[in-house]
Amino acid sequence: AQSVTQPDIHITVSEGASLELRCNYSYGATPYLFWYVQSPGQGLQLLLKYFSGDTLVQGIKGFEAEFKRSQSSFNLRKPSVHWSDAAEYFCAVGAIGTYKYIFGTGTRLKVLA
Amino acid sequence: GAGVSQSPSNKVTEKGKDVELRCDPISGHTALYWYRQSLGQGLEFLIYFQGNSAPDKSGLPSDRFSAERTGGSVSTLTIQRTQQEDSAVYLCASRPLQGSSYNEQFFGPGTRLTVL
């Protein structure tokens, strides 16, 4: 079955600390992978996406993610978190030729001053 | 340019009433999605429109839910005889089918529906 798992429902980090949000997927085809961020009362904004090529992708706001096929993972990282990064983060998977994307249940990030 | 807009931003209704939620996609985006986001849940796919093709309604949870897209642009999601379990945030997204962003969904801010 196709699925996306974000094992951490909540994560709390101190401002300036590094961050890693986990995403594991199960998908039959070669996946397209996405990370979205949702601030309170807002829609989802795309942080970065992976289709092919270099497995380390850079996104907006200083985020990056690494696609590891052997581990079926696409973890999101940021070297130094800012208070404004507090939000909910969603991982999503799709594939070429499909229009339905599967979203994870999200990870809510809290940043301590 | 303008992003995806949704109205109303908040809707409080009584159980049993009908509600209409509106989505204005980005101009030129031929694909449009509706999702439901319940507390602590991911995004639940409801319906997909692409151009003049028949919509994929496979995600609609019951026959109380319907959606239409007029003229390939504005879309309306209608929930009839609302129930308390319909309370959620309803998100709309549009997507271009060509160009560098062809696989990216652009989301609106959502409509928060509360059924009393």
Side-chain angles (χ1 to χ4, degrees):
Chain A
Q2 299 171 347
S3 65
V4 175
T5 301
Q6 293 182 245
D8 304 304
I9 299 174
H10 294 97
I11 282 187
T12 300
V13 299
S14 297
E15 192 171 19
S18 63
L19 173 69
E20 183 169 27
L21 302 183
R22 295 183 289 165
C23 173
N24 293 96
Y25 67 91
S26 173
Y27 207 79
T30 299
Y32 290 165
L33 294 155
F34 307 83
W35 275 100
Y36 286 85
V37 60
Q38 185 180 33
S39 298
Q42 303 295 314
L44 277 68
Q45 179 186 18
L46 182 70
L47 284 175
L48 47 77
K49 58 189 177 184
Y50 170 80
F51 292 164
S52 64
D54 192 347
T55 56
L56 183 64
V57 294
Q58 303 297 319
I60 62 171
K61 304 185 181 186
F63 286 92
E64 66 177 26
E66 186 170 12
F67 171 56
K68 293 186 177 179
R69 184 185 300 276
S70 62
Q71 298 177 21
S72 297
S73 70
F74 188 58
N75 293 349
L76 182 71
R77 301 193 295 247
K78 186 169 185 178
S80 177
V81 169
H82 188 264
W83 64 266
S84 61
D85 293 324
E88 189 150 23
Y89 292 79
F90 291 92
C91 180
V93 62
I96 187 169
T98 70
Y99 53 81
K100 275 187 183 177
Y101 297 173
I102 301 171
F103 286 80
T105 52
T107 297
R108 185 170 296 277
L109 174 66
K110 182 177 179 179
V111 180
L112 301 176
Chain B
V4 177
S5 62
Q6 293 185 245
S7 60
S9 55
N10 282 283
K11 177 70 176 180
V12 180
T13 191
E14 294 179 347
K15 178 181 173 180
K17 295 288 181 68
D18 298 351
V19 295
E20 283 190 353
L21 312 181
R22 177 187 169 104
C23 172
D24 281 274
I26 293 172
S27 177
H29 284 195
T30 54
L32 186 147
Y33 300 76
W34 281 98
Y35 294 93
R36 180 168 67 177
Q37 184 179 25
S38 302
L39 192 62
Q41 303 295 313
L43 274 66
E44 176 188 5
F45 168 83
L46 295 178
I47 190 168
Y48 171 76
F49 295 92
Q50 180 182 331
N52 296 320
S53 302
D56 177 352
K57 304 179 181 180
S58 61
L60 295 178
S62 77
D63 59 8
R64 296 186 295 105
F65 288 72
S66 63
E68 63 177 21
R69 189 177 184 192
T70 55
S73 180
V74 171
S75 178
T76 302
L77 177 69
T78 301
I79 309 173
Q80 295 179 310
R81 306 181 301 282
T82 52
Q83 303 295 312
Q84 289 182 332
E85 60 262 30
D86 299 333
S87 297
V89 175
Y90 290 83
L91 293 167
C92 173
S94 68
R95 182 166 69 94
L97 294 184
Q98 54 188 350
S100 60
S101 297
Y102 80 100
N103 258 318
E104 179 181 344
Q105 296 184 40
F106 293 78
F107 284 84
T111 293
R112 180 174 299 277
L113 175 65
T114 303
V115 182
L116 302 177

